[in-house]
Amino acid sequence: MRNLLLTISFDGTAYHGWQVQENAVTVQQTLQDALERICSRRDNVVGCSRTDAGVHANMYCCNIRTESAIACDKLVGALNAVLPRDIAALGCREADFDFHARYDCKSKEYIYKIWNSPNKNPFLYNYSLHYKYPLDEKFLSAQAQAFVGTHSFDSFCAAGSSVESTQRTVFAAEVEREGDMVIFRVEADGFLYNMVRIMTGTLIDISRGKIPADSIDAIIQAKNRFAAGHTAPARGLFLNKIYY
């Protein structure tokens, strides 16, 4: 029995997130279907993270325990031959047998893309939020520093979520601009349901004056979802990097 660490990327537009669901097409199911075609058996695929419907991944890691003898480089090539065009295998390597893609993850980086232009871009609709009013990325980056540190992020978790602890450590948070694209980048040891999308919505609401500037500390302390801003749409969110 081998344990393989597989790295993929995917366009989440057509999928109801990563995890297998009844009556919904997911990335995990599609990947397991492809592996079954190649290896002639249905091995379980363990993902590094759940993702919402419509969320994308520049880098997503998973591990597969399998008795298949196919070489890692051959597996990558075979997967890319059978996977749909919106999922790509990037790499594969042998891992220790007890390696777990989720529990051994040290941190994850997400990015949220905002197309900040008076004019919409039809080619970016599925991969960014169009926001036509001016955004000051330096001001928003300064605001985002309040996210850094170990906090209980109840205010930045979707109402009704059930988790043992809402405490997470954010290592870095910044907002940068590349032309008309504004990018919110955040790295943490873990994320709550909708956490990055609510962070993004809060920064936008601060920019528009709906939430006062310099209030993120108070929002965190409130531990109340209603204290934070709106939830930004899923289509602008990318799981960007996984660190082990």
Side-chain angles (χ1 to χ4, degrees):
M1 182 72 72
R2 306 157 71 203
N3 192 18
L4 304 180
L5 170 57
L6 180 67
T7 304
I8 66 172
S9 64
F10 59 82
D11 174 346
T13 304
Y15 299 97
H16 289 258
W18 161 261
Q19 190 163 335
V20 170
Q21 301 177 35
E22 290 187 12
N23 304 316
V25 179
T26 67
V27 178
Q28 184 183 28
Q29 173 197 324
T30 304
L31 181 58
Q32 288 184 163
D33 289 347
L35 286 165
E36 185 175 13
R37 286 182 60 186
I38 296 164
C39 301
S40 300
R41 57 177 296 155
R42 195 168 188 84
D43 294 315
N44 186 45
V45 178
V46 178
C48 64
S49 178
R50 294 186 179 186
T51 60
D52 298 343
V55 173
H56 316 291
N58 291 323
M59 178 184 183
Y60 190 97
C61 295
C62 49
N63 68 284
I64 310 108
R65 291 191 175 96
T66 181
E67 293 182 356
S68 171
I70 186 170
C72 285
D73 58 337
K74 299 295 185 183
L75 179 60
V76 171
L79 280 170
N80 284 325
V82 300
L83 282 168
R85 60 178 178 79
D86 48 11
I87 304 176
L90 304 180
C92 179
R93 65 177 176 84
E94 303 277 349
D96 292 339
F97 189 75
D98 59 355
F99 171 81
H100 193 285
R102 178 182 174 189
Y103 297 135
D104 288 336
C105 177
K106 302 301 182 185
S107 68
K108 305 167 189 173
E109 179 186 85
Y110 277 91
I111 59 174
Y112 195 98
K113 295 185 176 183
I114 304 170
W115 179 246
N116 188 212
S117 168
N119 303 313
K120 62 183 181 180
N121 186 326
F123 301 106
L124 295 175
Y125 177 81
N126 287 328
Y127 313 105
S128 64
L129 167 66
H130 178 219
Y131 187 77
K132 64 182 181 180
Y133 304 104
L135 290 174
D136 183 339
E137 69 278 5
K138 293 181 180 179
F139 166 73
L140 291 179
S141 194
Q143 295 294 304
Q145 297 314 300
F147 292 130
V148 177
T150 302
H151 310 288
S152 293
F153 282 97
D154 304 67
S155 297
F156 296 89
C157 180
S161 297
S162 177
V163 291
E164 290 185 5
S165 173
T166 58
Q167 182 172 292
R168 299 291 186 272
T169 299
V170 174
F171 301 116
E174 62 181 4
V175 180
E176 57 191 11
R177 178 181 289 274
E178 297 176 2
D180 286 331
M181 189 68 77
V182 172
I183 301 170
F184 172 46
R185 187 183 306 273
V186 57
E187 180 190 350
D189 61 357
F191 292 89
L192 302 170
Y193 184 45
N194 284 353
M195 182 170 163
V196 180
R197 293 168 59 190
I198 298 170
M199 287 176 160
T200 303
T202 301
L203 290 172
I204 292 173
D205 285 347
I206 289 173
S207 178
R208 65 195 289 199
K210 188 174 181 179
I211 294 177
D214 304 317
S215 61
I216 288 177
D217 279 328
I219 294 171
I220 292 172
Q221 293 303 317
K223 297 183 179 180
N224 186 333
R225 171 66 187 92
F226 297 105
H230 73 280
T231 304
R235 63 181 179 269
L237 185 60
F238 294 73
L239 179 56
N240 196 48
K241 292 180 182 178
I242 305 295
Y243 296 97
Y244 289 106

